[in-house]
Amino acid sequence: MHDLLIENASIIDGTGRPPFQGGVAVDNGRIVAIGEDVGAGRRRIDAGGLSLMPGIIDNHTHYDAQITWDPHVSPSPALGVTTVVMGNCGFTIAPCRPDDREIIMRNLTHVEGMSLDALRSGIQWEFESFPEYLDFLERRGVGPNTAVFVGHSSIRTWALRGDASRRAATPAEVAQMQALVREAMAVGAVGFSTTTSLQHNGEAGVPMPSRLADAAEMDALAGVLAESDKGTLMITKGLGTPVPRLEALSALSGRPFIVAALLHSNATPEAVFEDLAMIAEARGRGRRLYGAVSPCPLTFEFNFHAPYVFEGLASWLPAMEAHDDARYRALLASAEFRAAVKAEIDRPARRLFNGEWQSMHVLKVRDEANEQLEGKSVAEASARAGRHPVDWLLDLALAEDLDTMFIATLLNSDESALARILTDANALISLSDAGAHLEFFCDAGAGLHLLGHWVRERKLMPIERAVQRLTSETADAFGIPDRGRIAPGCWADLTLFDPAIVGRGAAVRMHDLPSGATRLVTPALGVRAVWVNGEQLVDENGLLPDAPLAGRVLREFNS
Ligand SMILES: [Zn+2]
């Protein structure tokens, strides 16, 4: 008698094999049999012919803070996700000394799109070291399976304290950081992550600490992974670390390297394809590089209290540095500041925003008198008013006390380019950024979007190929053992869904973060049930009210 039987399913097993009819038997959290007749079970689920796939492995999340107060890391499990990889881009909260908590939280507030109040009242600081962080997660329990990077910004803050975002490290500090990476790898970190992207700033425009690392520091830290011969490197790359430099780091460490964020920009439309071509060449030389790509258009909802969209512009730095509100508003109104912003936007570069005014719309105004502007693009409305878009936009925001909500689809808006990217053999489906940018967007349902939009609506690839990309391909890239496939011996991480309606719904703004802060959340469409290690977490209504903490903290990875 098996613990659990799921019968009458269309099984998409994660290997790329076409769907086949049958059932799955589970004992002690693992799949023990697959086929037409798998015996008897204490619990029997009739799948009614719906599709059963391995649970989605979301390899780019930022739940490091949220998981301390919300171990189920909503909304990911309801969106079919059974394993999350956290600590991407080097943004972690361990190691962290009590005295440095404020620095770490201030750094996270912009990049995570989460208010400082939410972080202050939410994070359960029951750890200092990385090993203690993993032990805490394990002791307390986790909803989905959880793998954690050791993050560059945290270890740099540990070693350099208040100077972490100011200067290069001394050889002694680099040695200290190496020791921290070594310690984290020894207790089961999934790898080492970092960022060199100009878009990654802490509060008041302070660069994330890893952006201050020089080549010697990067070499030394990547080199630690060579010692253990396990773990994955991950970076969100900026201009200073092009693909050939990352290939060199991969060679030096002998480890796989996840290269983010390969998003398509209409301003530099060939850039992402050049990156993928360089990654293909590196692979030809035996380097395991993966281009991290997203199936979602990158849409930001924002206001000028926190205009992340503009924060990758060098000319915006004075605005981020303006500590008090009056100075900030005076700057937004000043002709000199605006002139610098206009001049920079006129020079397209590899960055988030390049003056795509036709893709930026007024979402919600504060004043009734402005209601006719809702839904209008900034390009159209500013042209009608005879103003430069920068002037028009900032004038409107200032007139409404910065409360006007805008929405901008800045990257990944070209569907034909995206179709090429998503079918590229060197690409890894990634970049949901679940747990981050919470005020601006929610792509935690990126996997469902691939299945609904790209497979069912656009017929870009067979469903078995999409499932393979979301499951076994990711498991193999990160060396996650016994997950990402429906096969005897694998853990029973399973998602049951209706392929006729699967997808994600429109984003809803919720006020459910600690201290009442807001975030955007998308509901799942067509997900009927999700099991983690054989235990059910989700039904057709979403996360079960008494959902078990069935996940495991993953500490063992294949080399
Ligand atoms: Zn990230």
Side-chain angles (χ1 to χ4, degrees), residues 60 62 88-89 91 236 433:
H60 193 118
H62 291 279
N88 278 274
C89 313
F91 307 155
T236 295
D433 260 335

Side-chain angles (χ1 to χ4, degrees), residues 112-146:
E112 307 267 309
M114 210 187 291
S115 76
L116 193 54
D117 282 347
L119 292 166
R120 277 188 185 138
S121 56
I123 298 178
Q124 309 291 304
W125 289 105
E126 298 191 23
F127 52 86
E128 288 185 30
S129 69
F130 186 90
E132 287 166 1
Y133 180 70
L134 286 197
D135 288 347
F136 162 62
L137 297 184
E138 209 157 55
R139 198 167 61 238
R140 229 267 316 266
V142 289
N145 305 301
T146 304

Side-chain angles (χ1 to χ4, degrees), residues 178 181-182 220 222-230 252-253 255:
Q178 284 184 298
V181 174
R182 203 170 283 128
V224 176
L225 268 59
E227 298 168 13
S228 57
D229 196 30
K230 60 179 184 180
L252 178 153
S253 66
R255 302 306 311 158

